Amino acid sequence: MTNSPDAHHRPLLRLSLFLGLVRFRALEQRYPGASAEEIWLANRAGSVLHSSADILGAAALADCFKGLVAEPGAAGMQAFIDRALTLDPATWLVAALRGRHALRAVMPAAAAQCFEFTGVFAETPTPEALSWWDSLVQTQRASENEIRTQRGRDGEHLTMRHELERLRALGVDQRPRWVALDDETLGYDVLSFDLDDSRRTVNVLIEVKACSSLPLRIFLTRNEWHRAQQAGESWRMHVWHLPSRTLTEVCQSELGVHVPLNQGAGEWQQV
């Protein structure tokens, strides 16, 4: 039998597969040393009380779920979901960062049934269910932060290459400096150069943003905007659309019309 997440080309997160694994583990204990195919055949010859359990799928994916106890309860389902998401990551899981309602609105019905089984969608989840949910969200948040960091680094690398070529074309005997690698508090990422009207070399402070969607959408911290205000026309923002590696360049005055103002006791943090 095939032991891979692609077996039968069906999603892993489904109640029938979980029930199949529970039944499969019980048969493994009854027939120690039996192969996955032998266990499946033994189930076919036995009771029909487990008709809702996907024993065939469980047998085909036995190696993928190796070591999983598959207990017939909420804790067992939680472990099953964790393993299934590791084997077959779900893009919709990012909605969990916005809460349970946001997740339920986008997840497949079969996956929602599995999550329901854990008790995490109850009006007041048990401490165990809540702990599992928080761990799931924290893992997803760490994954998103890693993706965001890598996207930012990719954008900074593109800006370094772009600026190196631009300075060569201008005849400026300077190289751009990737200052964000040494100090994340500066409020900009790359120190580059330009020529003023008198052909003198002047500094250019570049804040780099990168995104994968259109229209372009960025986040600007208060520290970054404060630096932009200090630098004035010496400041630039590079916004990279990564799939196409297309650069949009924005100056401080162009960005300023989109930045909110502090009013009263309120101060903005990012926009």
Side-chain angles (χ1 to χ4, degrees):
M1 290 189 173
T2 302
N3 282 281
S4 76
D6 295 324
H8 311 307
H9 304 286
R10 299 181 63 188
L12 297 182
L13 274 185
R14 43 194 168 88
L15 183 59
S16 61
L17 181 57
F18 170 69
L19 295 176
L21 284 167
V22 171
R23 174 65 175 160
F24 187 85
R25 292 293 183 246
L27 290 169
E28 273 188 325
Q29 293 180 7
R30 184 181 303 177
Y31 304 106
S35 67
E37 186 169 2
E38 289 170 338
I39 291 175
W40 175 65
L41 291 172
N43 178 77
R44 288 190 63 186
S47 173
V48 296
L49 295 178
H50 302 278
S51 58
S52 62
D54 184 5
I55 305 294
L56 178 60
L61 295 165
D63 284 351
C64 295
F65 287 92
K66 189 175 183 179
L68 189 71
V69 176
E71 299 174 348
M77 176 60 86
Q78 292 165 9
F80 167 73
I81 292 175
D82 290 341
R83 179 70 64 86
L85 290 174
T86 299
L87 295 169
D88 188 18
T91 56
W92 43 261
L93 191 59
V94 67
L97 298 178
R98 303 196 305 274
R100 296 186 304 176
H101 288 172
L103 180 63
R104 294 199 72 163
V106 299
M107 70 192 313
Q113 193 176 24
C114 292
F115 273 67
E116 188 77 47
F117 195 97
T118 68
V120 76
F121 285 158
E123 185 175 351
T124 305
T126 64
E128 293 77 15
L130 191 59
S131 177
W132 175 75
W133 169 260
D134 288 341
S135 177
L136 190 75
V137 172
Q138 288 170 9
T139 299
Q140 185 62 29
R141 182 172 289 115
S143 176
E144 286 300 305
N145 287 340
E146 183 178 348
I147 292 172
R148 193 177 297 115
T149 298
Q150 185 57 54
R151 186 184 297 148
R153 292 306 191 201
D154 289 345
E156 290 168 4
H157 187 262
L158 287 171
T159 285
M160 288 291 293
R161 289 175 54 186
H162 176 273
E163 287 301 298
L164 185 60
E165 294 173 3
R166 187 182 66 84
L167 293 176
R168 284 174 178 169
L170 285 175
V172 175
D173 189 23
Q174 296 269 23
R175 295 176 63 88
R177 302 172 192 168
W178 198 340
V179 296
L181 291 178
D182 298 317
D183 190 344
E184 290 277 2
T185 68
L186 293 176
Y188 65 100
D189 300 305
V190 173
L191 173 62
S192 191
F193 306 94
D194 207 345
L195 296 176
D196 64 12
D197 294 338
S198 301
R199 303 292 295 176
R200 292 177 300 183
T201 301
V202 294
N203 290 347
V204 175
L205 280 55
I206 303 176
E207 174 61 34
V208 183
K209 302 292 182 181
C211 68
S212 57
S213 60
L214 288 174
L216 298 172
R217 186 168 184 262
I218 63 168
F219 289 91
L220 184 73
T221 67
R222 186 179 179 186
N223 183 48
E224 290 165 351
W225 176 238
H226 181 63
R227 174 61 72 179
Q229 289 178 301
Q230 288 181 324
E233 293 307 308
S234 297
W235 183 91
R236 300 283 187 279
M237 176 180 283
H238 281 188
V239 183
W240 291 96
H241 179 245
L242 287 186
S244 63
R245 296 195 172 190
T246 302
L247 172 63
T248 299
E249 203 165 348
V250 183
C251 67
Q252 187 262 1
S253 57
E254 291 173 325
L255 185 64
V257 298
H258 302 287
V259 175
L261 300 174
N262 295 331
Q263 298 189 53
E267 295 183 349
W268 68 277
Q269 296 300 315
Q270 65 179 21
V271 62

